[in-house]
Amino acid sequence: MGTGRGMEASLMSAWEFSDLLDERAQLHPGAVAVRDGAHVVAFGELRAASCSCAAALSARGVARGHVVALVLPRSAASVAWLFAIWRVGAIYLPIEHGSPTARVDELVRHARAKLVVGLAAGAGAGDERMVPASLRVVCELAAPSCPPRRAHQL
């Protein structure tokens, strides 16, 4: 750390990760990005899903610096949401899927989360109770356009 730049200089920003995804999707859209059991997601699909999810976050008022809790099982969808959260400049708060409701509530309240991304009602036994309905978001993967990059870069 003799350069005076500190550890921050060696870490990539979340936006840089989104940029890397965009670059990979442009160069190799059909290459495998995520394997989720038998389900395989290509870079182009992952980018489209993350853009759609980012649009859903933006539509709900999520912006740079807001905390977004992610309460999903580990899956390709959770990876898309992670990139979406970074894409809008928000802060990712991982909460283990299946956590007791009281724990989820405590973490969300303590972090002052703007939004909680969780499973839709009826998605699985007990899942709908994990995330309050007023904070629940489900991404519709029908609109693959990304928000403009300048909207979240400073």
Side-chain angles (χ1 to χ4, degrees):
M1 303 236 181
T3 64
R5 295 180 65 185
M7 184 179 242
E8 298 167 8
S10 66
L11 299 176
M12 291 182 66
S13 75
W15 288 321
E16 289 174 299
F17 281 112
S18 292
D19 290 342
L20 284 175
L21 173 60
D22 292 347
E23 181 182 307
R24 282 286 166 208
Q26 184 177 12
L27 294 173
H28 308 287
V32 174
V34 179
R35 289 186 194 275
D36 180 3
H39 185 80
V40 176
V41 178
F43 281 105
E45 294 170 297
L46 180 60
R47 181 183 184 280
S50 75
C51 289
S52 178
C53 294
L57 293 173
S58 294
R60 286 164 177 81
V62 174
R64 184 171 190 232
H66 287 144
V67 175
V68 176
L70 193 60
V71 189
L72 292 173
R74 291 179 182 154
S75 63
S78 65
V79 174
W81 276 106
L82 176 58
F83 275 103
I85 291 166
W86 288 340
R87 191 173 291 284
V88 299
I91 301 163
Y92 162 61
L93 173 64
I95 300 178
E96 185 175 354
H97 181 259
S99 295
T101 302
R103 177 71 176 144
V104 173
D105 289 345
E106 175 188 349
L107 290 168
V108 167
R109 193 171 36 259
H110 182 73
R112 296 182 180 143
K114 170 85 172 171
L115 205 63
V116 177
V117 176
L119 295 172
D127 290 334
E128 63 274 7
R129 292 173 292 173
M130 286 180 38
V131 180
S134 62
L135 296 175
R136 194 175 301 129
V137 175
V138 179
C139 183
E140 299 295 332
L141 300 181
S145 62
C146 278
R149 301 298 292 170
R150 67 182 181 283
H152 55 75
Q153 287 183 337
L154 293 182

